[in-house]
Amino acid sequence: MKIIKEDRDKIAGKKKIVILGGGPNRIGQGIEFDYCCVHAVFACKEIGCEAIMINSNPETVSTDYDTSDRLYFEPLTREDVLAIIEHEDPAGVIVQLGGQTPLNLAVPLKKAGINILGTSPEDIDKAEDRKLFKNILEKLGLNQPPNATGNSFNEVTKIAAEIGYPVVVRPSYVLGGRAMEIVYDESELKIYMKKALDSSPKHPVLIDKFLEDAIEIDVDCVADGQRVVVGGIMEHIEEAGIHSGDSACVIPPYTLGDNLISQIKEQTYALALELKVKGLMNIQYAIKNDILYVLEANPRASRTIPFVSKATGVPLVNIATKVMLGLTLQELNFTKEVDILHTAVKEAVFPFTRFPGVDAILSPEMKSTGEVMGIDDSFGVAFLKSQQGAGQNLPITGNVLLSLKGKDKRPMIFVVKKLVDLGFVILATKGTAQVLKKNDVPVEIVNKLSEGRPNIMDRIKNNDIQLIINTPSGKVSKSDGLAIRTTAIAHGVPLITTVSGAYAVVNGIEALMKKTLQVKSLQEYGERYCSPHKEEVKGSRPG
């Protein structure tokens, strides 16, 4: 790329800061990262810096002509970025706000002598490199699911056998959980490895023990290298194993006790300080049998940052950008965490209606194309609002169809009894119906596709079913389950595919039947219900 020297349009006396955007829109590259980049531009301007944006996405606010002081609509490649930097001669470059795409440029730019603002590329690499990160967790005494890395099918197969199936496998340094899967045996692993090596041939494959039925937690924090403040702790509604960008999540956590929340905060402080984070960091945890496990840490902005900022009223990107530019959290007057007394639920929006026949099952590979937020004083109403915002209108009367895998039948009994109490008629396939009848649940048996007519498909197509709860078996989707899910999507029937999701839905339906929905602005929630901790955050003092 050739840049004409004469086109330079400097703003006299201002320090120039380059911000790398997230690149073109695609599934896995959330628009949330563009939110982060735009707010970073605003923060730069607030403290008198010239903000220079490099991005190549015509559908984002960061590439609006009046957002940044200077815009380069160019690809996010090493060569293009270096050419622009050579021309502009900025004081530094921010790479941690546009997702994995600009983060992958951190080390190449640093090797070229470019000043990377915020967390250093070396510390970023400690979190990205599985072996280095494992050493850090061992040093800090933190738990992690058994894991390893491999470069060939034979190596990965041996590791998976030692760890024990099921395992989560994925290429390293990829976006949105691309080519990430839960693998249940060696035959599935063989099929997977070809995809993984095609997706990221230069990097090893990561293998982790899959913690079945675990609770997943997302934490966003901001740090200045000496002090750490947690911005938000989000509990996923779906179990671990679903990409964080696809899972509904709630802030504050709605099933965790004070002891676990304290452990999460302490481990977050320890990791951020050990990684010398300057700016934002996201950590994903899993809780199984009341034991806290660290899944991964990303020393960058996450796709949950806009949600957390709006739910709590704290402008995390603004604060983090100013930290990257040299200010401390003390100077920014952000040394205490914020408690909120309301509940905010983030729900993902999926494109399934635009792709007929695509299975609606969620997995470690991200599939959502957007997100919405529901907010209220209670969890049930907040969840209901999030479902309505995502286009899934929950019923208050009618028939509910259940088709459950074996291990989900027992935990679903309470949910089904609640649905009966609320006045719903329960329909179920034969195996599920037998379990429900043994537990005194009135249920009508419906035919599978191979059992005659009218069958499940007929009843969905005749608008005879108002809600479907279908939990698939862990291995390849069975044909009946796939047909149920695709037909439900095609006919606009609300579809739930996890036990935890079913609990939340019943909570939302009950709230809808008992309470009239009210509307308040974000500002009203922020002003009336947000309250800072009375004491400074433990473990966040300089030193």
Side-chain angles (χ1 to χ4, degrees), residues 327 421 486:
L327 297 176
D421 291 342
T486 55

Side-chain angles (χ1 to χ4, degrees), residues 5 9 46-48 54 81 93 95 97 110 192 244 248 264 338 341 407 423 435 442 453 477 480 494 529 533:
K5 292 291 184 182
D9 181 22
E46 285 175 13
I47 59 176
I54 304 177
V81 171
V93 178
V95 300
L97 300 178
K110 180 69 178 290
Y192 168 82
S244 60
I264 290 168
V338 170
L341 303 180
K407 72 169 190 172
V435 174
R453 306 187 74 168
S477 300
D480 270 21
Y529 298 114
H533 276 303

Side-chain angles (χ1 to χ4, degrees), residues 93-149:
V93 178
I94 294 176
V95 300
Q96 62 173 264
L97 300 178
Q100 193 68 46
T101 300
L103 204 69
N104 287 344
L105 293 173
V107 172
L109 293 179
K110 180 69 178 290
K111 288 180 178 178
I114 306 303
N115 180 29
I116 304 298
L117 299 174
T119 309
S120 72
E122 293 81 7
D123 289 316
I124 291 173
D125 199 52
K126 288 179 184 177
E128 294 277 352
D129 185 290
R130 185 52 60 97
K131 292 179 180 178
L132 295 176
F133 188 59
K134 192 173 186 178
N135 292 338
I136 287 174
L137 294 181
E138 290 176 354
K139 175 183 175 181
L140 297 175
L142 306 183
N143 296 316
Q144 187 181 35
N147 66 87
T149 60

Side-chain angles (χ1 to χ4, degrees), residues 330-346:
Q330 180 73 49
E331 290 170 328
L332 294 169
N333 196 31
F334 185 59
T335 60
K336 299 177 182 178
E337 294 171 3
V338 170
D339 282 332
I340 58 173
L341 303 180
H342 55 270
T343 298
V345 176
K346 184 211 78 170

Side-chain angles (χ1 to χ4, degrees), residues 292-354:
L292 185 64
Y293 295 88
V294 179
L295 299 181
E296 63 177 295
N298 296 299
R300 59 167 171 84
S302 72
R303 53 179 50 84
T304 53
I305 285 291
F307 168 64
V308 174
S309 296
K310 291 177 182 180
T312 63
V314 177
L316 292 173
V317 177
N318 186 290
I319 293 168
T321 301
K322 291 173 181 176
V323 165
M324 287 185 267
L325 295 176
L327 297 176
T328 66
L329 291 173
Q330 180 73 49
E331 290 170 328
L332 294 169
N333 196 31
F334 185 59
T335 60
K336 299 177 182 178
E337 294 171 3
V338 170
D339 282 332
I340 58 173
L341 303 180
H342 55 270
T343 298
V345 176
K346 184 211 78 170
E347 180 59 282
V349 177
F350 297 96
F352 299 132
T353 56
R354 297 177 181 270

Side-chain angles (χ1 to χ4, degrees), residues 312-470:
T312 63
V314 177
L316 292 173
V317 177
N318 186 290
I319 293 168
T321 301
K322 291 173 181 176
V323 165
M324 287 185 267
L325 295 176
L327 297 176
T328 66
L329 291 173
Q330 180 73 49
E331 290 170 328
L332 294 169
N333 196 31
F334 185 59
T335 60
K336 299 177 182 178
E337 294 171 3
V338 170
D339 282 332
I340 58 173
L341 303 180
H342 55 270
T343 298
V345 176
K346 184 211 78 170
E347 180 59 282
V349 177
F350 297 96
F352 299 132
T353 56
R354 297 177 181 270
F355 299 97
V358 171
D359 199 346
I361 286 298
L362 304 182
S363 70
E365 186 167 23
M366 186 174 168
K367 298 176 182 176
S368 61
T369 52
E371 62 182 37
V372 296
M373 180 170 80
I375 185 168
D376 200 90
D377 295 338
S378 72
F379 167 73
V381 179
F383 180 80
L384 172 69
K385 289 179 177 179
S386 74
Q387 299 308 294
Q388 291 179 337
Q392 182 152 271
N393 293 313
L394 301 180
I396 56 173
T397 60
N399 298 329
V400 178
L401 171 67
L402 292 136
S403 179
L404 310 173
K405 63 183 176 185
K407 72 169 190 172
D408 288 343
K409 290 170 184 174
R410 177 183 288 182
M412 280 295 293
I413 291 171
F414 173 80
V415 173
V416 179
K417 286 187 174 182
K418 188 68 178 177
L419 286 168
V420 172
D421 291 342
L422 293 173
F424 287 90
V425 175
I426 305 301
L427 313 178
T429 51
K430 189 177 295 182
T432 301
Q434 289 174 347
V435 174
L436 296 177
K437 284 182 177 180
K438 289 178 182 178
N439 288 274
D440 301 319
V441 176
V443 57
E444 176 187 339
I445 297 176
V446 292
N447 292 326
K448 293 182 178 181
L449 299 185
S450 59
E451 294 176 343
R453 306 187 74 168
N455 56 38
I456 292 174
M457 297 302 102
D458 296 323
R459 301 199 66 165
I460 295 174
K461 292 174 182 178
N462 291 334
N463 299 318
D464 195 27
I465 294 174
Q466 284 65 51
L467 176 67
I468 296 174
I469 302 174
N470 169 243

